[in-house]
Amino acid sequence: MTKKMKKQIYHEAGHIFQSLFGVLLFAAAYRLFIVPQGLYSGGFTGIAQLIKLFLEWAFHFDPAGVDLTGVIFWCLNVPILLFSYRGLGRGFFLRTILCVCVQSVLMALIPTPKEMILSDPLLNSIVGGAISGFGVGTTLRAGGSGGGNDVVGMYCAKMHPGYSVGKISNAINAFIYVFAAVMNDIDVAAYSM
């Protein structure tokens, strides 16, 4: 193995480690700060939360010890991952599939505290949002993605210059937060944002 190949392997390993660290931060923030407060996450995680709520309501289905949000999040990302392979390149696809799988498992298995970690709901929301945002940013900077909005937005922006990750994210998040306001109250929607 040449010195250049070793350097490439170490470089890629570093990107994978950073990507996985980012999804760990996101999943931990979701399970430790968002879920105990009964808030909604944005993006595909929020969509997975809404589907989970529907399943619980319609079928009275709630398996003990496993949060279905992680499983649903993974299922939602399967078609998205196919887009990333075709439109965004092999390296991004491989890092993203690894990140989505790890993030889904962590979202399903990290134990959620029965009460909020911080007693102040606003502070709890800010800290959870900051940690999850830092995690997403870390993953993206390393050339990976936790799936969902990021992949859809990047694909749309590449294929149609008028689209952007921000526009796609804002549309999806507006739907989730309006649902939160209607089904709960305006405070839940505001803290979720």
Side-chain angles (χ1 to χ4, degrees):
M1 186 179 303
T2 67
K3 190 174 184 178
K4 184 178 179 181
M5 288 173 60
K6 284 183 184 178
K7 188 175 180 180
Q8 287 176 329
I9 290 170
Y10 286 129
H11 184 71
E12 184 60 27
H15 282 289
I16 290 170
F17 176 78
Q18 285 178 327
S19 295
L20 293 177
F21 180 66
V23 297
L24 169 66
L25 289 176
F26 176 83
Y30 170 75
R31 295 293 291 171
L32 300 175
F33 292 94
I34 307 288
V35 173
Q37 199 166 336
L39 300 179
Y40 295 86
S41 184
F44 276 48
T45 304
I47 292 171
Q49 284 179 286
L50 298 182
I51 293 170
K52 176 190 166 210
L53 285 174
F54 173 75
L55 291 174
E56 289 174 349
W57 171 78
F59 304 107
H60 307 288
F61 186 69
D62 189 22
V66 175
D67 184 351
L68 280 180
T69 307
V71 176
I72 296 166
F73 176 80
W74 185 86
C75 292
L76 290 172
N77 271 286
V78 170
I80 303 306
L81 291 171
L82 297 176
F83 278 128
S84 71
Y85 181 74
R86 290 181 153 206
L88 300 173
R90 185 174 179 265
F92 180 79
F93 170 77
L94 293 175
R95 282 190 291 275
T96 299
I97 197 164
L98 178 63
C99 289
V100 166
C101 290
V102 170
Q103 182 171 310
S104 299
V105 168
L106 292 172
M107 286 172 59
L109 298 180
I110 290 175
T112 300
K114 294 190 188 315
E115 295 182 14
M116 294 185 300
I117 291 178
L118 305 170
S119 59
D120 179 33
L122 179 59
L123 184 59
N124 204 59
S125 298
I126 291 170
V127 170
I131 292 171
S132 66
F134 183 75
V136 169
T138 300
T139 301
L140 290 172
R141 273 191 309 277
S145 167
N149 286 5
D150 303 333
V151 176
V152 171
M154 290 170 68
Y155 182 81
C156 288
K158 186 174 182 179
M159 298 301 160
H160 308 283
Y163 288 95
S164 69
V165 176
K167 286 180 183 178
I168 303 277
S169 294
N170 287 339
I172 292 171
N173 292 344
F175 170 75
I176 293 166
Y177 300 137
V178 166
F179 177 86
V182 170
M183 295 305 290
N184 298 285
D185 60 45
I186 196 74
D187 288 353
V188 170
Y191 283 127
S192 294
M193 285 190 280

